[in-house]
Amino acid sequence: MSNNRGRGLQANALGTFDTVVMAVAGSAPAYSIAATTAVLVGAVGLASPAALLYCAIPMLGIALAFSYLGRIDVNAGASYSWVGRTLHPFLGFISGWALVISATIFMVAGSLPAGSMTLSLFDQSLADNTALSTVVGAAWFVIMLLVVLGGARLTVRAQLVMSGVELGILALFAALALVHTGNARVFDWSWLGFSHFDGVSGFASGALIAAFYYWGWDVTSNLSEETRNSRRTTGLAGLIGVGIVFLLFEVFTIAVNVILSSRQIESNDANVLAVLGDEIWPGWGGKLLIVSVMLSTIATLETTLIQVTRSLFAMGRDRTMPAALGRVHRTWNTPWVAIVVVGGVALAMFIASNALGSVGEILADAISAIGLQIAVYYGLAGLAVVVAYRKMLFRSAGNFLFGGLWPLFGALFMFWIFVESLSSLSTAAITIGIGGLAVGLIPMLWYWKQGSDYYRPARLDATHTVETDYVPDDFVPEQSRVHQGLPTDF
């Protein structure tokens, strides 16, 4: 699978700080809290902080897998390339397809809240109008589509502004929540244990939703061909991103459970942060957190567009999807055909979404469906790193833990919640989640028969890559290690 078919993406456009910002923005802290907290609390109640905690541990394993795999294969397709070159090309394609489908579904799940939050700044009654929210959300989506089309540098500049304001507001309210009085409940450390889960199936349901919270940090891997020193930078940024959003998710989920009543959470399923803001700072608080959620949602639309278009670009370049998707604009160095196609499909889905019900109903089914698809491609990446580094795992305890055991645990956890949660999900969520994956079998088999080189890959083996190209620090013997410093602009 060549990385150099035709014109490529803009190399060295992003540095380490830029990539960390993209990782945090990809997980969309404010949006995830606002749109998903009611769903998570509805599924596991007071166990919601525990679900986030116990999902963070295997998620760090997956982040380690992406980090190690990115060191030996720089590819905009990320798991699509890694899984295809280690496990099997069919599994690699399904891995890439799972990201494409989940990201495309998110165009609706993310754009509707963007429209709803924008409208609520002017009139709260307008926020529940699905049709109007769709129109405004579609307008934001088109703006982000044009930004992504304009290139990686423009994308990061826009992201720095949006995410900077978002994180500043969240930090302010995290501090205010700590000193807030008049709470609905008293915090109990048991919320971080297993006692509040309704059995194994309840834990699996919570973990599946929690996976959606974290999803998006791996945009750094899809930007690897456009990042300086990407073999180190993208993995480091992903790990930092997971750590930052974990702290934000825990603080605000606990704050929601402490400050808001069950009725408040249930009746504001698509706008929990606004209600929390009004409780913490009456008058201004709700508006400020609405601004934070709006910016977060728009920012994560941008990172999701990057993920899906870079993945389709890699597929088009490898001829596992129409070759036109691999075309790069001569001026902006972006996969413009993939961007236009994704834009058209997403706008069509915006229109169709009006028939599905309220904003909250659409979000609940979409989040669960996306969770299934996330579990698939994260789990496959966790297995892929073990296979790629299998000959090096027993050279040290660090190799075994960070390059093998922890990613393997993350992979098994993802597959477990996928299987376990099927019994508790709605028919609509399962249909969207599994049906979306099944559709991918059509292009996969078609281009396999067409003889794409992707299906005859050069196997990814860390020992060969390390010996001939790049040596990750963790895999170099201490006696021969030379300090080189951090080769980034962080």
Side-chain angles (χ1 to χ4, degrees), residues 67-218:
S67 176
Y68 279 102
L69 288 166
R71 294 175 180 182
I72 59 175
D73 182 22
V74 175
N75 192 297
S79 61
Y80 155 79
S81 172
W82 304 331
V83 174
R85 295 183 61 188
T86 53
L87 304 181
H88 193 280
F90 284 178
L91 292 176
F93 184 88
I94 290 299
S95 180
W97 183 259
L99 189 153
V100 168
I101 292 297
S102 58
T104 304
I105 294 172
F106 180 79
M107 300 306 171
V108 175
S111 295
L112 283 172
S116 178
M117 293 295 168
T118 303
L119 292 169
S120 66
L121 288 173
F122 303 97
D123 188 342
Q124 183 59 45
S125 62
L126 295 176
D128 295 325
N129 187 320
T130 304
L132 192 55
S133 294
T134 301
V135 172
V136 177
W140 278 122
F141 174 76
V142 171
I143 292 172
M144 288 300 100
L145 197 75
L146 295 174
V147 170
V148 172
L149 184 64
R153 295 187 190 279
L154 176 62
T155 300
V156 169
R157 289 184 184 125
Q159 196 63 253
L160 288 171
V161 174
M162 293 185 291
S163 294
V165 175
E166 172 202 355
L167 293 177
I169 294 174
L170 288 179
L172 171 63
F173 277 86
L176 293 175
L178 292 175
V179 297
H180 181 73
T181 57
N183 299 328
R185 300 179 188 85
V186 177
F187 171 72
D188 193 300
W189 286 104
S190 67
W191 296 0
L192 297 174
F194 290 94
S195 60
H196 292 284
F197 287 108
D198 184 17
V200 175
S201 61
F203 175 76
S205 298
L208 186 72
I209 297 168
F212 176 81
Y213 272 82
Y214 293 104
W215 176 56
W217 55 265
D218 50 304

Side-chain angles (χ1 to χ4, degrees), residues 142-293:
V142 171
I143 292 172
M144 288 300 100
L145 197 75
L146 295 174
V147 170
V148 172
L149 184 64
R153 295 187 190 279
L154 176 62
T155 300
V156 169
R157 289 184 184 125
Q159 196 63 253
L160 288 171
V161 174
M162 293 185 291
S163 294
V165 175
E166 172 202 355
L167 293 177
I169 294 174
L170 288 179
L172 171 63
F173 277 86
L176 293 175
L178 292 175
V179 297
H180 181 73
T181 57
N183 299 328
R185 300 179 188 85
V186 177
F187 171 72
D188 193 300
W189 286 104
S190 67
W191 296 0
L192 297 174
F194 290 94
S195 60
H196 292 284
F197 287 108
D198 184 17
V200 175
S201 61
F203 175 76
S205 298
L208 186 72
I209 297 168
F212 176 81
Y213 272 82
Y214 293 104
W215 176 56
W217 55 265
D218 50 304
V219 65
T220 60
S221 297
N222 297 106
L223 285 166
S224 61
E225 295 183 33
E226 299 158 88
T227 304
R228 290 189 291 275
N229 300 297
S230 64
R231 294 184 187 273
R232 291 175 181 260
T233 302
T234 56
L236 173 64
L239 289 164
I240 293 173
V242 172
I244 291 173
V245 297
F246 164 70
L247 293 175
L248 289 171
F249 292 155
E250 283 291 1
V251 167
F252 278 92
T253 302
I254 291 172
V256 166
N257 279 322
V258 168
I259 295 172
L260 301 183
S261 66
S262 298
R263 178 176 296 181
Q264 285 176 302
I265 297 171
E266 183 179 351
S267 60
N268 295 277
D269 52 0
N271 198 13
V272 168
L273 267 189
V275 181
L276 180 67
D278 281 332
E279 288 288 333
I280 293 175
W281 186 357
W284 281 97
K287 295 292 185 182
L288 284 174
L289 280 177
I290 287 174
V291 170
S292 177
V293 175

